Amino acid sequence: MYRLTDRSKAFLADDPTLVEELDRNEGLPRILALLAEKASAKRSDLLDDWGNYLAQVSKITSLSMIKDTLRRRLLNLVERGLVDRDGNRYSLSEAGRAYLKALGEQVSPAEQKVIGASPSEIDAASAIAAHNKVAREALVGRLMALEPYAFEHFVKELLEAMDYENVQVTKQSGDKGVDVVANFQFGITEIKEVVQVKRSELTVRRPLIDQLRGALPYHGAIRGTLITLGRFAKGVEEAALFPGAAPITLIDGERLVELVERHEVGLRKKPAYLLEINEAFFAEKNLEDLADGAMTASDN
């Protein structure tokens, strides 16, 4: 005969205490802490840190298992609204930030290894994430305040930081909708790419894709990129990669901020570090042994 235990009944009832315990055991706070440090991330961006964490708390070492456990846990967090998903990128939601902070306040020293961070480290990660969020929002405000031609030159600086060559801002008239032209080394072939930028937070729709694609022959380019501070309407991604047509890369406001952050154009990263006790050092009792040896020598 099989019967539900009280613990099972609590699980089915979504008992908060039990859910938090299970989340800690599954390493979900560690994933939330990793996402707290980033604007958004792909699974591949989290893989190394997640693998190192699993190596400390489990016997999972194969790459396929590391990938699978990360994928399943991210799906869990998305379904619960603790993590937001946009395409293949994940970011910490406000609910996830609050939950991570609550877990940090309740964790005991014995549970720190399970979470992978102490309460103070979680608080520091949350504070850094909050500060960086404000900085990213301020960056968007600065870019929105630029004159259109100045914004085009900002994109030029970004492309040069991304190793594009011969980057040129086009004239303000007669450019066929193209704002920047550049060369990019693709394998052993150098290709020309044209870029159209929109200093606007409005939603970009399909006609701009067609316009940019039509301008490629005029500039002798084989691909294009559309950059906006806003978002892209539904169906634009399919049009950008339409089979048989020249590809158009889409960079929305969130992705633009990520590129700016990565290449430090208009933003800069300030180093920060956390101090922690080296428990392995003190576990070896080197200091106690030295002290015992000194006392023995003095007695003699």
Side-chain angles (χ1 to χ4, degrees), residues 25-290:
N25 292 336
E26 292 296 312
L28 298 189
R30 182 56 180 165
I31 296 176
L32 293 176
L34 292 174
L35 287 174
E37 301 170 5
K38 308 175 185 295
S40 68
K42 298 179 180 178
R43 286 206 304 264
S44 57
D45 298 330
L46 307 174
L47 200 58
D48 287 344
D49 286 324
W50 177 247
N52 291 334
Y53 166 74
L54 288 181
Q56 299 174 30
V57 300
S58 73
K59 296 181 180 180
I60 297 176
T61 57
S62 71
L63 182 58
S64 61
M65 284 294 294
I66 294 172
K67 289 182 176 179
D68 186 61
T69 55
L70 178 60
R71 179 184 65 83
R72 292 174 182 273
R73 283 156 177 76
L74 282 171
L75 288 176
N76 178 308
L77 293 168
V78 169
E79 289 177 358
R80 294 163 59 186
L82 301 177
V83 168
D84 294 327
R85 180 176 181 178
D86 185 8
N88 63 350
R89 307 193 72 84
Y90 300 86
S91 59
L92 191 64
S93 69
E94 290 301 322
R97 197 180 312 279
Y99 186 52
L100 177 62
K101 187 176 187 303
L103 288 173
E105 293 171 348
Q106 298 169 19
V107 67
S108 66
E111 293 174 315
Q112 289 182 18
K113 185 177 179 181
V114 177
I115 288 185
S118 67
S120 59
E121 289 173 323
I122 291 175
D123 288 342
S126 297
I128 290 173
H131 172 84
N132 290 344
K133 181 181 179 182
V134 172
R136 294 181 187 109
E137 292 172 350
L139 171 68
V140 174
R142 289 292 185 92
L143 295 179
M144 284 294 299
L146 293 176
E147 294 296 328
Y149 201 56
F151 183 56
E152 293 168 9
H153 277 274
F154 173 84
V155 172
K156 174 182 181 293
E157 295 282 343
L158 176 60
L159 292 176
E160 288 176 339
M162 295 170 62
D163 295 329
Y164 280 79
E165 298 179 350
N166 301 323
V167 185
Q168 297 180 359
V169 176
T170 64
K171 297 179 180 179
Q172 290 183 283
S173 62
D175 57 12
K176 303 295 184 181
V178 170
D179 300 308
V180 182
V181 179
N183 293 338
F184 186 75
Q185 194 71 31
F186 190 78
I188 62 174
T189 304
E190 186 176 75
I191 63 175
K192 181 174 286 188
E193 184 168 344
V194 296
V195 181
Q196 185 178 31
V197 301
K198 291 296 178 184
R199 186 191 51 84
S200 170
E201 293 184 292
L202 298 177
T203 300
V204 174
R205 304 191 180 280
R206 168 73 182 264
L208 283 180
I209 299 293
D210 299 331
Q211 178 189 19
L212 181 58
R213 186 172 279 138
L216 296 183
Y218 179 82
H219 292 275
I222 64 173
R223 58 182 289 175
T225 295
L226 183 56
I227 300 176
T228 178
L229 287 172
R231 300 178 64 85
F232 294 102
K234 184 178 181 181
V236 171
E237 291 187 8
E238 291 79 357
L241 298 176
F242 192 80
I248 304 295
T249 300
L250 302 179
I251 298 178
D252 62 11
E254 183 178 347
R255 179 63 175 152
L256 178 60
V257 171
E258 290 173 13
L259 292 173
V260 169
E261 182 177 341
R262 179 183 305 172
H263 298 282
E264 297 189 56
V265 179
L267 281 178
R268 61 183 178 183
K269 299 175 183 176
K270 299 178 67 174
Y273 61 88
L274 298 174
L275 297 176
E276 64 178 15
I277 300 298
N278 186 343
E279 298 295 349
F281 173 81
F282 287 100
E284 294 175 358
K285 298 183 179 179
N286 291 337
L287 298 181
E288 288 85 346
D289 292 342
L290 289 174

Side-chain angles (χ1 to χ4, degrees), residues 14-34:
D14 289 330
D15 178 73
T17 302
L18 180 58
V19 170
E20 290 172 5
E21 177 190 338
L22 295 174
D23 284 349
R24 292 192 186 101
N25 292 336
E26 292 296 312
L28 298 189
R30 182 56 180 165
I31 296 176
L32 293 176
L34 292 174

